[in-house]
Amino acid sequence: MSDNNKVIIFDTTLRDGEQSPGASMTRDEKLRVAKQLEKMRVDVIEAGFAIASQGDFESVKAIAEAVQNSTVCSLSRALDADIDRAGEALLNANSGRIHTFIATSPIHMKYKLQMQPDQVVAQAVHAVKRARNLIDDVEFSLEDASRSELDFMCRIIEQVIDAGARTINIPDTVGYAVPEEFAYTIRQLIERIPNADKAIFSVHCHNDLGLAVANSLAAVGAGARQVECTINGLGERAGNASLEEIVMAIRTRKDMLGVETDIDTTQIVPASRLISSVTGFPVQPNKAIVGANAFAHESGIHQDGVLKHRETYEIMTAQDVGWNTNRMVLGKHSGRAAFRSRLDELGTTFATDAELNSAFARFKELADKKHEIFDEDLMALVSDTRAAAASEKFKLSSLAVTSQTGETPLAKVVMQVEGEEVQAEAMGSGPVDAAFKAIEAIASSEAELQLYSVNAITQGTDSQGEVTVRLENGGRIVNGLGADTDIIIASAKAYIHALNMLDANIQKAHPQV
């Protein structure tokens, strides 16, 4: 395809997506996601905000060193320290980008920055020049662009392009725009700015009014050639434009949009499952493209039509986006080679043989309980294995729960605390509540339970349950994950995983602070 017909896909799941409360990822989890995004042929991976914390810096650095076929990007405010830290994190990248930004709307300049427009322009130009001294690929964003004055945007964009910015991002930071208005803004900027042809125009839309994808596509129609988006639409508040919806709309309606992407769409569903598993944010069943019901037909009229001719009610195939591309079902007679091969196909690799052996042992245990093991089971099993491997202070030895009609449930738990066996028991309003209280009697974390979520991974009464437990303590929020065919055990695993993450005390500052 010609450069003018290609839309660059800029994935910000690891940066903006991670800003969702409770969605923080560990360094290893970020690496797994980044490798999946690379496998999907994402053009630019925004790996984090290098100055936000030491953890974010190390994640950006690790991803920059591991990813070879996508550009790795770090966000930075228009401040010297931010830019220098981003440059340091990207030092060993095969292809790196610094993405610097400053607010340009009257309300942000007056109340947040407390700066005059001339000062904002000067700082933006200085930031771009400093970034260009460190790296060739510099992107500049006008924060809150959808509420900024058009004349001022033209002025600042012209100057930052002269300073060396090669991508100009127009974010709808608060999800305020509507498609016709947003397209008009993009079109006006491209037409009015004298050196607009020296930069690629990008958009980054939030979903506060449910218009992020519509606004992004309208902008593409107006000349934008980069779209910033996230897997599953993950992001703070109502989220970001959904990558899978953007990509499949471009592919399905090429007749209207006239553009293409380089994305391998068969990797969309594996990426969606990975993000859901890592963050603990389940995908709603009716979510476009990746929801469980996205290609389901229950209406008799629809079923009849699809049986006669698929395109009567389907505008794309499930296989196009990665549903059911391989129906190999593993079981207790499956060997290590088949196990490893299927996980490779799902985008999951193991850093060491010990990690593979641990996961395979858990697979065999699961196969004794469950006749057929599906892809969803494997992804949950791997997440559970890694959660257990990351555990240090607390480990579950045994759990016994008594629950009977008319009686208060009782849980008895035995845990290893730094290698020493400790026991406790507690009553609760239900078996899970009793188990959590017994664990807390040992841990004494004083953490507040913010979320308890259970998802059946596959159909059937022998399905694994995947549990997410979100704990908050002293301003820190962590997600614990656990999976088991016994939902009480899965819940205990998730709670203990969260406790170990709190104990690790990895600080992550919010990038906007």
Side-chain angles (χ1 to χ4, degrees):
M1 70 188 80
S2 71
D3 290 343
N4 193 46
N5 290 335
K6 178 186 172 180
V7 173
I8 295 165
I9 298 298
F10 178 114
D11 183 276
T12 184
T13 304
L14 295 173
R15 199 277 301 171
D16 203 332
E18 199 200 17
Q19 288 176 209
S20 300
S24 292
M25 306 174 212
T26 65
R27 175 181 172 276
D28 288 344
E29 287 169 341
K30 282 192 166 190
L31 272 170
R32 287 169 59 198
V33 172
K35 294 301 288 183
Q36 176 60 31
L37 294 174
E38 181 183 30
K39 187 175 182 179
M40 191 164 50
R41 298 205 296 262
V42 163
D43 298 288
V44 184
I45 300 171
E46 190 164 52
F49 203 137
I51 203 163
S53 69
Q54 182 62 25
D56 247 23
F57 172 82
E58 291 174 357
S59 294
V60 174
K61 185 174 185 292
I63 292 168
E65 292 170 351
V67 169
Q68 297 298 310
N69 300 317
S70 301
T71 295
V72 178
C73 175
S74 177
L75 188 67
S76 73
R77 293 165 296 187
L79 301 173
D80 289 358
D82 281 44
I83 293 164
D84 293 348
R85 192 66 164 158
E88 184 182 355
L90 297 169
L91 197 60
N92 296 321
N94 185 49
S95 174
R97 173 183 296 186
I98 293 176
H99 179 192
T100 187
F101 72 94
I102 195 167
T104 55
S105 67
I107 191 171
H108 273 239
M109 288 190 289
K110 180 178 179 180
Y111 294 105
K112 188 181 81 168
L113 299 180
Q114 297 181 347
M115 294 171 66
Q116 294 299 314
D118 287 351
Q119 294 175 298
V120 171
V121 173
Q123 187 162 327
V125 169
H126 172 79
V128 170
K129 287 181 177 179
R130 189 176 187 93
R132 274 302 300 267
N133 284 334
L134 300 175
I135 204 163
D136 288 336
D137 190 349
V138 175
E139 177 173 339
F140 177 76
S141 280
L142 296 78
E143 187 185 10
D144 203 23
S146 56
R147 295 190 296 176
S148 298
E149 295 173 347
L150 189 58
D151 288 346
F152 181 66
M153 286 198 287
C154 289
R155 175 186 168 197
I156 194 170
I157 291 170
E158 181 180 358
Q159 293 196 40
V160 295
I161 291 175
D162 279 344
R166 291 295 171 261
T167 302
I168 301 297
N169 185 43
I170 311 299
D172 183 20
T173 305
V174 294
Y176 181 71
V178 296
E180 184 177 357
E181 169 194 39
F182 199 56
Y184 175 80
T185 297
I186 299 300
R187 194 173 292 112
Q188 285 291 301
L189 292 174
I190 293 173
E191 290 177 358
R192 290 175 54 179
I193 296 170
N195 53 1
D197 61 321
K198 295 181 180 178
I200 292 169
F201 279 75
S202 170
V203 290
H204 177 123
C205 298
H206 280 263
N207 207 38
D208 298 71
L209 293 175
L211 295 171
V213 170
N215 283 329
S216 299
L217 293 174
V220 168
R225 286 298 178 265
Q226 175 176 286
V227 175
E228 305 192 2
C229 43
T230 62
I231 302 295
N232 297 341
L234 192 69
E236 58 183 330
R237 303 191 315 279
N240 291 268
S242 163
L243 180 147
E244 57 274 10
E245 295 175 23
I246 295 288
V247 168
M248 292 311 294
I250 287 173
R251 174 173 169 154
T252 305
R253 295 311 311 270
K254 185 180 177 182
D255 59 320
M256 288 294 295
L257 295 168
V259 293
E260 297 177 84
T261 74
D262 285 338
I263 296 295
D264 177 358
T265 61
T266 64
Q267 295 302 315
I268 285 176
V269 169
S272 172
R273 288 174 176 168
L274 177 59
I275 289 297
S276 180
S277 174
V278 164
T279 63
F281 282 50
V283 176
Q284 67 195 59
N286 62 330
K287 167 76 170 64
I289 315 299
V290 294
N293 293 345
F295 294 90
H297 301 277
E298 186 163 332
S299 163
I301 295 173
H302 287 213
Q303 290 173 344
D304 180 64
V306 169
L307 288 172
K308 289 175 177 174
H309 188 70
R310 182 191 60 79
E311 292 182 5
T312 54
Y313 287 101
E314 286 188 359
I315 59 174
M316 63 193 112
T317 71
Q319 290 75 20
D320 285 345
V321 297
W323 285 108
N324 301 326
T325 53
N326 187 322
R327 294 302 299 157
M328 181 173 66
V329 179
L330 300 179
K332 65 180 181 180
H333 299 298
S334 300
R336 189 186 307 267
F339 174 73
R340 185 170 199 164
S341 173
R342 188 63 192 131
L343 285 173
D344 284 344
E345 291 171 6
L346 293 172
T348 297
T349 56
F350 298 98
T352 64
D353 287 340
E355 191 179 56
L356 169 63
N357 292 338
S358 177
F360 185 68
R362 285 173 177 253
F363 163 72
K364 285 294 189 180
E365 290 175 11
L366 179 61
D368 284 334
K369 303 175 186 176
K370 197 172 186 291
H371 179 60
E372 293 182 329
I373 298 177
F374 299 94
D375 291 348
E376 294 87 346
D377 292 308
L378 293 177
M379 296 303 290
L381 182 147
V382 169
S383 295
D384 190 52
T385 302
R386 284 172 167 153
S391 301
E392 294 179 0
K393 185 174 183 179
F394 303 107
K395 292 185 179 180
L396 178 66
S397 296
S398 66
L399 174 64
V401 179
T402 303
S403 184
Q404 183 178 332
T405 304
E407 300 291 335
T408 303
L410 172 68
K412 298 180 180 180
V413 65
V414 179
M415 290 170 57
Q416 296 285 329
V417 182
E418 296 180 334
E420 182 179 346
E421 189 170 277
V422 184
Q423 302 181 41
E425 62 179 58
M427 291 182 170
S429 59
V432 172
D433 185 49
F436 285 2
K437 286 178 177 175
I439 293 168
E440 188 59 32
I442 294 173
S444 301
S445 72
E446 298 183 356
E448 179 182 346
L449 179 65
Q450 290 198 338
L451 173 72
Y452 171 71
S453 173
V454 182
N455 288 294
I457 296 171
T458 55
Q459 295 180 347
T461 55
D462 65 347
S463 171
Q464 282 193 96
E466 188 172 49
V467 175
T468 300
V469 168
R470 186 175 300 158
L471 298 181
E472 187 274 332
N473 185 279
R476 293 191 63 234
I477 299 175
V478 297
N479 280 336
L481 300 175
D484 201 277
T485 52
D486 185 325
I487 200 64
I488 312 301
I489 299 296
S491 300
K493 287 180 176 179
Y495 196 96
I496 290 170
H497 181 214
L499 288 175
N500 280 305
M501 293 180 72
L502 284 174
D503 182 68
N505 199 33
I506 299 171
Q507 298 295 329
K508 184 180 187 304
H510 193 291
Q512 299 300 323
V513 175

